[in-house]
Amino acid sequence: MYQHKQYAVFIFFVLAWIGGFVALAWNLIGADAPLMIFAGILLLVGFLFHGLTIKVNDSAISWAFGPGVAGQSVELSEITEAKAVQNSYRHGIGMRITHDGWVYSVSGFSAVQLTLKDGTMYRLGTNDQQGLLSALKQNDVPMAQPEKQQSEPKVVKRNNMI
């Protein structure tokens, strides 16, 4: 069984930055109800999205944020292809749908893309890309074939004198 948790370093930095403004406001205007509620929401978001845990067992792969929030599970028999990919800034962090399918990510750009039989695609952000691919390969999940680099096309010079 494979299990790996990636911590949300970027989310921690953003929450700490916002928390600094909350602390400043708390110091300047005092602890009023709206400020306390906002601080509570920041703490809740930090707790719920502090990391992304990915688990692979003999029959399924599952992933969830923090203590098990907003996760999903997919049977390994439903996966037609798994491959290593790199996310870009447009994929963002958190859980979202993009033109590349569903993206679950908390930090960094490395990910593993899973393609299901029905065409659904998932990109799971991880800082242990090779470990996750190895766990999937051990459970007989088909891996994507490396793309062959195309050689430069031959330039055909034609004589138009005929």
Side-chain angles (χ1 to χ4, degrees):
M1 178 172 163
Y2 170 87
Q3 180 173 341
H4 180 74
K5 183 171 198 165
Q6 180 182 14
Y7 289 97
V9 177
F10 181 74
I11 293 173
F12 290 149
F13 282 127
V14 170
L15 290 177
W17 182 68
I18 296 170
F21 288 110
V22 170
L24 180 64
W26 196 304
N27 188 31
L28 294 175
I29 63 175
D32 62 343
L35 191 60
M36 291 170 58
I37 291 170
F38 187 70
I41 290 171
L42 285 179
L43 289 173
L44 182 65
V45 168
F47 173 70
L48 293 178
F49 295 98
H50 71 270
L52 177 65
T53 303
I54 300 174
K55 299 177 185 176
V56 178
N57 60 31
D58 294 337
S59 61
I61 179 172
S62 60
W63 58 91
F65 290 103
V69 178
Q72 192 148 359
S73 181
V74 172
E75 294 293 322
L76 295 178
S77 60
E78 291 295 312
I79 301 173
T80 59
E81 181 182 71
K83 67 179 177 178
V85 293
Q86 291 293 316
N87 288 339
S88 67
Y89 288 107
R90 64 189 157 95
H91 290 103
I93 59 170
M95 178 181 65
R96 62 187 62 231
I97 185 134
T98 68
H99 68 286
D100 291 321
W102 284 96
V103 176
Y104 292 80
S105 179
V106 292
S107 187
F109 298 106
S110 296
V112 171
Q113 180 172 306
L114 305 175
T115 305
L116 305 185
K117 289 178 181 177
D118 64 0
T120 305
M121 291 189 297
Y122 294 101
R123 281 184 174 229
L124 306 178
T126 179
N127 56 356
D128 184 26
Q129 204 175 43
Q130 292 306 315
L132 179 54
L133 287 172
S134 295
L136 291 170
K137 191 173 186 178
Q138 287 176 353
N139 288 295
D140 299 324
V141 172
M143 296 290 130
Q145 298 298 324
E147 296 178 11
K148 295 179 182 177
Q149 293 193 3
Q150 297 178 359
S151 60
E152 292 187 29
K154 293 181 181 180
V155 177
V156 177
K157 295 183 180 182
R158 300 190 187 267
N159 186 347
N160 292 331
M161 301 298 290
I162 301 178

